Amino acid sequence: MGEVARLDSCHVVTVHPDKVALTREHIPDPTETERLATLFKLLGDPRRARILYALLEAGELCVCDLAASVDVPETAVSQSLRLLRAAGVVDNRRAGRMVYYRLADAHVRMLLDLSREHARHEEGI
């Protein structure tokens, strides 16, 4: 009896070598995809996502106002902000003893807007 071919595998090594070469030329390298995966993991936490959307809406907030906005303890907000700041997703500014947080740049705003639009589209909203 002959071998049974798996349905999820190709029988030919490369069907379209030109397409494969072009694709390999344009996809991100492993280092970049690792950074992207880390970013998406950060954004994948519901608490951090709410914090980011609060900053998107308000523009700039201190930790206590953020905590009140997203209904999360200040310590948890601070911890989330530390991670997001280290990843370059949020920036801060100091005004005396107060520290105010905001989204790092327009790319983060665009990513949040597009993500929300995609989620709404998927839900049929």
Side-chain angles (χ1 to χ4, degrees):
M1 201 188 256
E3 274 188 50
V4 176
R6 291 178 33 197
L7 294 176
D8 62 347
S9 64
C10 293
H11 298 288
V12 180
V13 177
T14 305
V15 178
H16 303 97
D18 294 341
K19 220 178 211 183
V20 169
L22 186 63
T23 301
R24 290 178 63 95
E25 194 176 306
H26 292 283
I27 61 173
D29 64 39
T31 303
E32 186 177 3
T33 53
E34 183 65 36
R35 286 194 317 262
L36 289 167
T38 300
L39 174 64
F40 281 115
K41 285 178 193 173
L42 273 174
L43 300 177
D45 177 78
R47 183 177 283 174
R48 288 190 293 262
R50 286 183 54 81
I51 289 168
L52 291 171
Y53 280 106
L55 292 173
L56 177 67
E57 198 59 40
E60 187 176 73
L61 291 168
C62 65
V63 172
C64 53
D65 287 345
L66 261 172
S69 296
V70 298
D71 204 24
V72 172
E74 286 182 30
T75 55
V77 170
S78 291
Q79 182 180 8
S80 293
L81 288 168
R82 257 192 311 281
L83 293 170
L84 293 166
R85 189 165 174 259
V89 177
V90 298
D91 279 334
N92 66 4
R93 75 172 175 87
R94 187 170 292 279
R97 296 186 64 167
M98 298 295 293
V99 178
Y100 294 92
Y101 291 86
R102 65 187 176 283
L103 298 178
D105 58 33
H107 297 112
V108 177
R109 293 182 188 327
M110 197 169 17
L111 180 62
L112 292 171
D113 284 338
L114 287 172
S115 298
R116 193 168 189 191
E117 183 65 30
H118 178 70
R120 287 177 171 172
H121 172 75
E122 289 295 310
E123 292 176 356
I125 296 176

